[in-house]
Amino acid sequence: KMRIICKFSSIVVGSQLSSSFYMTQKMINSFALGLPFDPGQDTKNDEIAPGSNGKNKVKILHAPSHPAVKGTQEIKRVLTELAEEGYSFELVVIEGKSNAQVLSEIKKCDFVIDQIYCDTPLAGLATEAAWSGKPSLVGGYGLDYLESIMPSRFWPVSVVCKPDEIKLALVELITNHQYRKDAGKNAKDFVSKNWSTKKVAANFKLLIDDAVPADWWFDPMEVVYTAGFGQTLEESSLVIRSLISELGIDSLLLQNRPDLRDRFLELSNYSSKTNGVRDQ
């Protein structure tokens, strides 16, 4: 598929992590283009809500499109522990609802828990929350690596943590009103400046006009990432071992990337020291 894409495309757009394994030519960083969202109305007062929704309890929203991928079970487990430890909050989980209903709940909440096994700091739900000035908690094994190899001006604003750090991150968001407020404001400032529909359209026009800034390009052959998406490192390790056991090492299709192949082989004997990314 990647060979076909390269053959018939003038420009390929993708992320620097799990969508670039098999690319051999330079790509446009999708974060440079942005993720467009039209809030549809004036949101200047939305950011007042975090930490001041008129209730004693902090209201947390989780709206998983795919609970297993988003880590919903683990999120609920950690929140149950926090409730048992005496932290005061209200959790709202919505599934299978319209986008309008999700946006309505975003406006009512203090912060959003997006997902905990992610390879982007600001996916769809978190972007929608940012437009309302609401911070989002996003977990991922490789987010620190992604930030280290990306121009800082492209790095989206959210509250990120490793999956095993979610409890500490939640405590800070639940107990620190000013932290929530600042995080929400910073997220809104970022999307307003960089990811409006007009801005993203203007970015695409630069592609069409062959006027792409130099720092929009990245070489996927230089990216070494094995943390995956939507699952734990242990689960990724099991998948890799199964592939190798049944079909051999060549089943990874990484003959042209021995450095990345070796990292996957290392992950197949899972070690918490690797964290799924190359040591920096």
Side-chain angles (χ1 to χ4, degrees):
K1 286 183 178 180
M2 287 303 221
R3 284 195 292 267
I4 292 172
I5 288 171
C6 291
K7 182 177 180 180
F8 294 102
S9 301
S10 301
I11 293 176
V12 179
V13 178
S15 76
Q16 291 177 297
L17 297 183
S18 52
S19 69
S20 61
F21 290 152
Y22 301 112
M23 285 296 296
T24 58
Q25 66 184 45
K26 289 187 176 182
M27 304 169 67
I28 293 292
N29 185 350
S30 59
F31 289 91
L33 293 175
L35 181 62
F37 175 71
D38 183 359
Q41 61 182 358
D42 186 3
T43 59
K44 63 183 180 181
N45 293 321
D46 288 352
E47 64 190 62
I48 296 174
S52 57
N53 61 9
K55 299 179 180 179
N56 292 326
K57 290 185 177 181
V58 170
K59 188 171 184 179
I60 304 170
L61 174 64
H62 181 54
S65 54
H66 191 306
V69 169
K70 301 296 186 180
T72 299
Q73 183 176 351
E74 177 65 9
I75 289 169
K76 289 181 176 179
R77 185 193 67 78
V78 172
L79 286 171
T80 298
E81 283 188 6
L82 291 176
E84 292 172 348
E85 293 172 11
Y87 291 95
S88 179
F89 60 85
E90 175 189 355
L91 173 64
V92 176
V93 179
I94 56 175
E95 301 178 49
K97 303 296 183 180
S98 69
N99 184 247
Q101 289 172 297
V102 173
L103 294 178
S104 176
E105 289 297 332
I106 286 174
K107 294 179 183 297
K108 300 174 186 176
C109 79
D110 290 305
F111 69 91
V112 169
I113 305 176
D114 187 4
Q115 50 193 308
I116 58 173
Y117 305 118
C118 196
D119 61 358
T120 174
L122 209 66
L125 176 63
T127 299
E128 293 171 341
W131 278 100
S132 288
K134 307 301 176 71
S136 293
L137 177 60
V138 181
Y141 295 106
L143 294 178
D144 53 350
Y145 176 63
L146 170 60
E147 184 177 11
S148 74
I149 62 175
M150 185 181 299
S152 58
R153 66 191 182 98
F154 300 151
W155 181 251
V157 178
S158 61
V159 179
V160 300
C161 67
K162 295 287 178 62
D164 59 0
E165 297 170 347
I166 182 176
K167 188 173 183 178
L168 291 175
L170 281 169
V171 168
E172 184 70 10
L173 282 165
I174 291 170
T175 61
N176 193 330
H177 174 198
Q178 190 61 47
Y179 177 71
R180 291 195 307 271
K181 184 177 181 180
D182 291 344
K185 182 181 184 303
N186 291 338
K188 184 171 183 178
D189 288 346
F190 176 86
V191 293
S192 299
K193 178 181 178 181
N194 299 289
W195 286 9
S196 68
T197 51
K198 288 186 177 180
K199 176 63 174 176
V200 174
N203 289 341
F204 271 93
K205 188 174 187 299
L206 292 177
L207 300 188
I208 297 168
D209 294 341
D210 194 23
V212 178
D215 65 353
W216 286 22
W217 294 94
F218 75 95
D219 186 350
M221 298 292 286
E222 298 177 353
V223 178
V224 181
Y225 174 84
T226 59
F229 166 83
Q231 60 191 19
T232 66
L233 289 182
E234 291 91 338
E235 290 169 326
S236 296
S237 175
L238 177 60
V239 170
I240 297 165
R241 286 200 302 271
S242 297
L243 276 171
I244 295 172
S245 175
E246 295 181 22
L247 301 171
I249 293 176
D250 286 350
S251 66
L252 300 179
L253 301 179
L254 291 171
Q255 291 87 334
N256 69 321
R257 287 293 308 274
D259 56 337
L260 187 56
R261 179 203 61 204
D262 289 346
R263 291 295 292 189
F264 275 113
L265 291 176
E266 182 180 347
L267 180 59
S268 69
N269 295 308
Y270 171 72
S271 169
S272 60
K273 296 179 180 180
T274 69
N275 270 338
V277 296
R278 182 173 55 190
D279 293 336
Q280 297 301 302

